[in-house]
DNA sequence: CTGAAAGCGCTAACAG
DNA sequence: CTGTTAGCGCTTTCAG
């Protein structure tokens, strides 16, 4: 079978303990023997048995990255950015395990023994059971994207409510009054926050909220397309639509163009996230940049700290969003804010 | 600390051996004692220590999914589809570890002990070193997307060359003669195959290949945009452009529209992959569907078989691509196949 | 059907 | 500075 420290010990004429220490750079070991042992190890292509190490060190070298779900509601661009962000900081120090929370029926296998730490990209309060489980198991934990109010957790967030409020306010500033919303996936916190930002902006400008201007999507392109269709068959059209993410905006634009209308001439569209795609659709999308990769990176690096140091501070950290103005909004003169 | 089989043994008045057997449903154990033991285990919320199990069983319950790189050249949609495809079949039976091969400087930690099996989504021959390593370690292995000629490997592929040839042939059938190509990332096998398909189609119809119609991209939208720009400033424009993937096609369309030209009226565009986005751009993209999720799923399920059964057959399996005709190609009358 | 004993590969006291 | 010994939690002979 594969080579172990005992094999090395035999060849080096030392005890396997000495080998263990040498390989771990213990200061207790004489430099010369260290060198000798390391040389033999390299020559034999020794690689430590991680299971054995784990067993005695209580460390698995695994970091779990859990999404609420890997299916509907998680867009490709989002997923990619998160994995890349996290992976970029843990490199080859840990193995990155990617899972959907909904892949599990029960969380028995999610233990401190199998995960040195866990990052949850949390979308919905359905995740609370899982998060509580991780806390109960005392697994170092970072929750991204959704505020956790119970217990002390490191929490990295973007202020979606404010971002949404800002972009809707921007629409209002451009003269829009009839502003519809395509909402995100039902049950997702982000969907709720963005909706609330939308509402606040309207209220702030004393624009009445019209139920017929609220349509629900689920964050994918198809749902944006459907939702826009829905809006387009109504007697009264909005002059602008706030899509709760960019992917839905892409779908919405498609629906509009098919109807023979133009963006932004007939209808203005804004999105949220600043997905890569948003710069490349036509017209380029005015949107809210949400620093997903930065959030993920920050989360990962906090988690690594947390693993090495139990008592690192656990706090909530907000990352700013940013309004990105491109070409999908038309400036309106007062008066033509409704088209019919 | 956490509860072990010994704790259960004590409470059940049996040996820990019996507990181990009972929990593993050994036929040697009396049904009643089994039930009793399982009850206690559940009550104590016992979960096995995977490291200990691994140590003795030589199984880690890890499956590694390795991409050539997680950075440039791997598009978000592609990445998402692959992870989802694989994850869907392994569910909670294995932990799915996602990595870029280029995250590793050396492969010491990639051993049979830490990975029950490995899936490589391989883009480039640079991966060979890694693949060879996995073979040397006797790790059950499935390579997706790139043909491996040495050794016996399970290999799941899509016939990109033929797919590309078909779609270019389609362009020719529609009357196009001045057909440009935006190539994929240099060094990627898929880029080469698609290029070759393009060339074959041209040659087959005795259309001369023009070097000024060949531009290199790297599979992302931005590169498609740049490449198209490049084509657009040349004295002689093509009437159609074959983009080696859909993302680049999106970028290319953007460049064309910015130039004040229309797709497909002035310039026809086709892509490759049938990304989700391709149906939602305007015009909807004519492309080649490549069954990425299916390939991934099939690969994963083969790997699981391979893990359970050393001697499962190792073969190469080709999945068909399919021409998806949408609206990005104009049918040309003979004669206006060049515009200037 | 059950138990005692050994051992997987490694680290950590404790002695020297 | 190095070795002896024990033990992490589990499975697997081998006996009974």
């Amino acid at each position: 079978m594969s080579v172990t420290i005992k094999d090395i010990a035999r060849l080096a004429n030392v005890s396997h303990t000495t080998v263990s220490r040498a390989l771990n750079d213990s200061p207790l070991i004489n430099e010369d023997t260290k060198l000798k042992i390391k040389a033999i190890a390299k020559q034999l292509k020794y690689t430590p048995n991680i299971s054995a190490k784990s067993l005695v060190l209580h460390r698995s070298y695994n970091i779990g990255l859990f999404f609420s779900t890997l299916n509907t509601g998680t867009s490709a661009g989002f997923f990619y950015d998160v994995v890349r962000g996290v992976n970029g900081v843990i490199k080859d120090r840990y193995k990155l395990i990617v899972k959907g929370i909904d892949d599990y029926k029960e969380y028995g296998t999610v233990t401190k023994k199998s995960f040195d730490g866990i990052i949850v990209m949390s979308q919905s309060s359905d995740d609370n059971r899982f998060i509580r489980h991780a806390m109960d198991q005392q697994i170092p934990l970072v929750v991204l994207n959704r505020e956790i109010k119970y217990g002390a957790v490191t929490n990295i967030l973007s202020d979606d409510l404010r971002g949404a409020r800002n972009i809707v306010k921007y629409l209002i500033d451009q003269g829009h009054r009839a502003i519809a919303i395509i909402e995100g996936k039902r049950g997702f916190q982000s969907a709720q926050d963005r909706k609330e930002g939308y509402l606040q902006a309207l209220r702030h400008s004393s624009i009445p909220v019209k139920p017929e201007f609220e349509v629900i999507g689920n964050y994918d392109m198809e749902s944006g397309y459907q939702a826009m269709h829905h809006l387009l068959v109504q007697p009264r059209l909005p002059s602008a639509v706030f899509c709760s993410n960019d992917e839905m905006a892409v779908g919405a634009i498609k629906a509009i163009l098919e109807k023979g209308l133009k963006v932004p001439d007939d209808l203005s569209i804004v999105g949220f996230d600043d997905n890569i795609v948003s710069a490349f659709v036509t017209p380029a999308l005015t949107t809210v940049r949400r620093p997903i990769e930065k959030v993920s990176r920050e989360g990962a690096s906090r988690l690594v700290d947390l693993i090495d140091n139990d008592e690192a501070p656990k706090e909530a950290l907000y990352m700013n969003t940013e309004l990105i103005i491109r070409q999908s909004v038309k400036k309106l003169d007062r008066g033509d804010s409704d088209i019919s």
Side-chain angles (χ1 to χ4, degrees), chain A:
Chain A
M1 276 293 313
S2 47
V3 16
T4 74
I5 49 173
K6 286 186 185 170
D7 299 322
I8 300 176
R10 213 167 303 127
L11 289 177
N13 268 314
V14 295
S15 75
H16 71 279
T17 311
T18 301
V19 175
S20 168
R21 287 201 267 248
L23 261 20
N24 288 306
D25 261 327
S26 155
L28 298 175
I29 303 289
N30 178 13
E31 269 310 319
D32 289 349
T33 36
K34 242 189 223 180
L35 255 42
K36 181 168 121 202
I37 289 173
K38 286 186 177 173
I40 300 182
K42 179 169 293 175
Q43 195 203 326
L44 261 46
K45 294 194 180 152
Y46 166 78
T47 55
N49 181 318
I50 304 236
S51 305
K53 270 183 111 116
S54 299
L55 184 56
V56 47
L57 292 182
H58 308 289
R59 256 172 161 279
S60 60
Y61 304 97
N62 287 161
I63 281 185
L65 172 57
F66 289 86
F67 290 79
S68 301
T69 167
L70 253 33
N71 303 303
T72 157
T74 303
S75 77
F78 178 77
F79 178 71
Y80 182 56
D81 284 347
V82 174
V83 174
R84 231 177 21 161
V86 171
N87 185 62
V89 355
I90 70 171
K91 289 274 164 126
D92 58 351
R93 284 186 292 171
Y94 293 93
K95 292 188 266 29
L96 180 62
I97 295 174
V98 178
K99 277 286 160 190
I101 292 179
D102 62 350
D103 290 334
Y104 293 87
K105 288 183 287 298
E106 41 104 26
Y107 307 141
T109 60
V110 180
T111 64
K112 190 165 175 134
K113 297 263 166 30
S114 1
F115 292 96
D116 288 351
I118 283 181
I119 298 175
V120 181
M121 172 52 78
S122 182
Q123 299 280 27
S124 140
S125 55
D126 292 351
D127 302 340
N128 285 346
R129 208 178 112 240
F130 181 82
I131 292 172
R132 278 235 166 67
H133 171 86
M135 290 166 121
D136 289 350
Q137 303 279 319
Q138 318 245 48
I139 309 176
L141 177 67
V142 169
V143 178
L144 309 182
N145 206 40
R146 217 185 103 246
E147 194 177 357
I148 301 301
K149 284 157 187 141
Y150 45 90
V153 206
T154 299
N155 215 192
I156 320 256
L157 307 154
S158 69
D159 194 342
D160 285 15
L161 193 156
R162 192 152 124 210
R165 196 173 53 202
N166 282 344
I167 199 166
V168 175
K169 184 168 180 315
Y170 169 77
L171 288 172
I172 295 171
D173 290 346
Q174 299 299 303
H176 293 273
R177 292 296 176 273
I179 303 172
I181 179 174
I182 298 180
E183 302 183 34
K185 189 175 163 69
R186 200 190 295 273
F188 274 28
Q189 183 64 41
S190 56
Q192 218 167 300
D193 291 348
R194 294 170 199 184
K195 171 80 176 283
E196 180 58 26
Y198 161 82
L199 293 174
Q200 285 188 11
L202 294 189
R203 280 197 221 105
H204 181 82
S205 299
S206 311
I207 300 175
V209 176
K210 299 190 188 162
E212 67 270 29
F213 278 177
E214 302 169 351
V215 196
I216 295 200
N218 69 13
Y219 282 144
D220 67 25
M221 290 186 188
E222 175 67 26
S223 77
Y225 179 81
Q226 299 291 355
M228 192 67 221
H229 240 302
H230 202 83
L231 285 170
L232 287 170
V233 298
Q234 295 193 30
R236 179 146 225 170
L237 293 189
S239 69
V241 180
F242 166 51
C243 303
S244 294
N245 78 349
D246 291 339
E247 312 229 341
M248 293 197 297
V250 171
I253 290 176
K254 179 79 179 170
I256 294 170
L257 297 181
E258 278 188 9
K259 195 81 177 181
L261 297 176
K262 285 206 161 63
V263 181
D265 297 342
D266 299 318
L267 211 46
S268 295
I269 294 286
V270 298
F272 203 103
D273 275 359
D274 195 27
N275 245 12
I276 173 73
V277 74
S278 61
F280 287 99
V281 290
T282 302
L285 211 54
T286 291
T287 187
V288 176
R289 174 170 301 157
R290 188 164 62 126
I292 298 173
E293 203 174 330
K294 203 168 144 204
V295 164
S296 312
R297 225 197 306 275
E298 181 67 27
S301 106
R302 297 273 176 144
L303 182 63
V304 171
D305 291 350
L306 226 47
I307 291 174
D308 294 338
N309 168 16
D310 257 14
E311 292 314 323
K314 299 174 184 59
E315 40 172 5
L317 187 70
Y318 277 83
M319 303 282 215
N320 283 332
T321 59
E322 186 188 351
L323 181 61
I324 304 290
I325 295 177
R326 290 198 270 247
Q327 284 104 44
S328 62
V329 174
K330 181 185 177 193
K331 189 169 171 55
L332 248 46
D333 301 327
R334 245 40 75 62
D336 70 341
S337 72
D338 281 3
I339 63 175
S340 39

